[in-house]
Amino acid sequence: MEASSMSDYVELINPNTMTCRLLKNGEVVAIYKMSQCDKCSMLSKHDDFGYQKGYDNRDNIIWFCGGCR
């Protein structure tokens, strides 16, 4: 008997490297970087648009996930 509530997709996150492997039915379909939001602490797929810049617009001070932006 096969479980009907099982997902075809699984994300495996390595906390040491903050990289994620997306598996579909056990096969790797994507590898991407994860980041922890500095506001809500949720782990999300990293994107460079989430950075808040310092006063000189060069230093990346904090990172926000899409929901907190």
Side-chain angles (χ1 to χ4, degrees):
M1 182 175 180
E2 187 176 328
S4 62
S5 64
M6 295 295 291
S7 175
D8 291 338
Y9 291 94
V10 175
E11 281 185 318
L12 298 176
I13 301 171
N14 181 333
N16 294 326
T17 61
M18 290 300 282
T19 56
C20 179
R21 293 180 185 269
L22 179 64
L23 307 174
K24 181 178 181 184
N25 297 320
E27 186 174 327
V28 177
V29 293
I31 298 174
Y32 47 87
K33 184 178 178 185
M34 300 290 286
S35 291
Q36 186 172 15
C37 179
D38 288 319
K39 184 174 182 182
C40 71
S41 299
M42 184 172 78
L43 290 176
S44 301
K45 185 175 179 180
H46 179 83
D47 63 41
D48 289 332
F49 298 110
Y51 283 116
Q52 297 294 309
K53 300 289 186 179
Y55 69 92
D56 61 0
N57 274 342
R58 290 190 310 208
D59 294 331
N60 295 329
I61 304 297
I62 56 177
W63 186 83
F64 291 139
C65 68
C68 290
R69 284 182 226 154

